[in-house]
Amino acid sequence: FELVLSIATYALSESNIGCDSCVDGDFPKASRHFAKTAGIFQYLGEDMLPNWMANSVQHAERENESLAETRVGVCLAMQHLYMAMAQQMAVATVLAKPGTPNYTLLGKLSMGIAAELETFVSTFRSKSPVHMSRIDPSFLTLMTFLINIQHSLGLYFLGRSLWLDCQYGVAIAAISEATIAARTRTTPTGRGCKY
């Protein structure tokens, strides 16, 4: 138990260093720390915790009382969250450089971020529903907003890339879709960002 918590604490400390680097504007360093955090959570979720639980006869009974950091589902979900954060820092790095950015790369990264965030939510919901119910609903609203914004940015960057390739009609369509995806929804099931 102490080893699991020590490794989880190490992962969170790497995350904190990544956040500090992001605040300082050092996006490449932040990306490396977030990627390292994702790797630590992956190790916990795929190797350390399953082995520990295989040796524990009471892990199923302790699910409700256990710390989130000691659950396989939580660690697997956190891996995807931190990979998304690492990719966000990669996008920030490209945008901070002078000159015209590689819009194709930015579009792929943004779509990848959205996919990682969607996997984070679905993994958390399916593999650790007990701990999912303990999350502040505002955080889940933020995740929904981020997923929609990343989809919108992916379409926008795709449109910019197509425009530079002189494919104006498709570029206009992609940017139009990006605009629709970034608008506030007028109904709960409508297209766009959640209001």
Side-chain angles (χ1 to χ4, degrees):
F1 180 76
E2 290 80 7
L3 180 60
V4 169
L5 284 184
S6 296
I7 294 172
T9 302
Y10 175 56
L12 295 174
S13 69
E14 285 292 332
S15 168
N16 287 340
I17 295 169
C19 288
D20 291 343
S21 298
C22 179
V23 169
D24 294 340
D26 191 349
F27 303 124
K29 183 178 178 184
S31 181
R32 287 190 301 273
H33 283 287
F34 290 142
K36 192 172 185 180
T37 302
I40 295 168
F41 276 116
Q42 181 179 12
Y43 169 71
L44 275 172
E46 292 178 358
D47 188 28
M48 178 64 114
L49 287 173
N51 289 336
W52 177 52
M53 288 180 188
N55 296 326
S56 173
V57 293
Q58 299 174 336
H59 76 275
E61 295 84 21
R62 294 184 300 175
E63 177 75 21
N64 291 337
E65 297 88 27
S66 65
L67 298 171
E69 298 90 337
T70 63
R71 302 284 54 143
V72 170
V74 172
C75 289
L76 293 175
M78 295 299 278
Q79 168 198 352
H80 294 288
L81 175 65
Y82 282 105
M83 280 308 298
M85 292 172 68
Q87 285 184 232
Q88 284 177 322
M89 295 301 102
V91 169
T93 300
V94 172
L95 291 174
K97 290 181 179 178
T100 303
N102 182 338
Y103 289 115
T104 303
L105 173 65
L106 291 174
K108 289 177 182 179
L109 285 171
S110 294
M111 290 301 196
I113 293 165
E116 289 286 355
L117 291 173
E118 287 172 343
T119 304
F120 162 71
V121 173
S122 65
T123 302
F124 217 125
R125 184 171 286 129
S126 65
K127 295 190 181 290
S128 194
V130 170
H131 292 94
M132 180 74 164
S133 65
R134 296 176 185 165
I135 293 179
D136 185 342
S138 298
F139 179 75
L140 297 176
T141 301
L142 173 64
M143 285 297 108
T144 302
F145 174 77
L146 287 175
I147 291 166
N148 288 324
I149 286 297
Q150 291 300 331
H151 276 297
S152 174
L153 285 173
L155 289 167
Y156 170 76
F157 291 135
L158 172 66
R160 292 293 302 265
S161 172
L162 291 167
W163 188 269
L164 291 176
D165 287 342
C166 299
Q167 298 181 38
Y168 303 117
V170 182
I172 291 170
I175 291 175
S176 175
E177 284 296 314
T179 303
I180 291 168
R183 286 188 189 140
T184 303
R185 292 181 194 173
T186 55
T187 64
T189 58
R191 292 174 64 197
C193 293
K194 187 174 181 179
Y195 57 92

